[in-house]
Amino acid sequence: MKARIFVTLKGGVLDPQGRAIQHALEGLGFAGVNDVRAGKLIELDLADGTSDDDIDAMCRKLLANTVIENYRIEKVA
Amino acid sequence: MKARIFVTLKGGVLDPQGRAIQHALEGLGFAGVNDVRAGKLIELDLADGTSDDDIDAMCRKLLANTVIENYRIEKVA
């Protein structure tokens, strides 16, 4: 079973990496880039039968810093 | 207009970050984690009317290293 975890910074948190990407895109001549936010995508290959609770616990304990980050779990067949 | 860019390592490319996450999950007592791949998620807030070709060019020129990475573009309303 595969699962994808999307980790994104919460709204008010400064994102220097995103800001750097935005400036770099402008430097390359791309106009109209209003905002960039950088996040993480973690793909897990899990044993069949891993519970949703376990995946959620992985996110809370290791994959996301819930003080400043949100996470979303997407299970793939 | 918003777009999400998912950047993942190509199949044969070693992923030390993913490997470290896998070992950390095992160390926390999670069994059955067969493989972990770490990637990037980049959220772009773009001016309306930015063309698909422009977004693709951003990926090829800056956001993804196409030698070792794949990218997928998802446009959000």
Side-chain angles (χ1 to χ4, degrees):
Chain A
M1 186 186 74
K2 301 214 174 199
R4 293 199 191 99
I5 316 293
F6 305 97
V7 180
T8 51
L9 281 172
K10 289 186 178 177
V13 181
L14 286 177
D15 182 1
Q17 189 185 1
R19 186 57 58 92
I21 294 170
Q22 183 183 0
H23 285 149
L25 286 172
E26 287 169 0
L28 286 171
F30 293 106
V33 180
N34 300 324
D35 192 26
V36 179
R37 304 284 284 175
K40 280 175 282 186
L41 162 62
I42 300 159
E43 296 180 315
L44 303 173
D45 184 350
L46 299 165
D48 289 341
T50 305
S51 71
D52 290 4
D53 283 350
D54 272 352
I55 302 175
D56 200 68
M58 291 178 197
C59 293
R60 279 182 287 103
K61 289 186 180 169
L62 184 74
L63 303 178
N65 175 355
T66 55
V67 177
I68 57 168
E69 291 173 329
N70 293 319
Y71 62 89
R72 188 164 63 81
I73 298 167
E74 180 184 290
K75 290 173 76 173
V76 190
Chain B
M1 186 185 75
K2 301 215 174 197
R4 294 200 191 99
I5 316 294
F6 303 95
V7 180
T8 50
L9 281 173
K10 290 187 179 177
V13 182
L14 285 177
D15 181 2
Q17 190 184 0
R19 186 57 58 93
I21 294 170
Q22 182 182 0
H23 285 151
L25 286 172
E26 288 169 358
L28 286 171
F30 293 106
V33 180
N34 301 322
D35 192 28
V36 179
R37 304 285 284 176
K40 281 176 281 187
L41 162 62
I42 300 160
E43 296 179 317
L44 303 173
D45 184 351
L46 299 165
D48 289 340
T50 305
S51 72
D52 289 3
D53 283 351
D54 272 351
I55 302 176
D56 199 67
M58 292 179 196
C59 293
R60 278 181 288 103
K61 289 186 180 170
L62 183 75
L63 304 178
N65 175 354
T66 55
V67 177
I68 57 168
E69 292 171 331
N70 293 318
Y71 63 89
R72 189 165 63 81
I73 298 167
E74 179 183 291
K75 290 174 75 173
V76 191

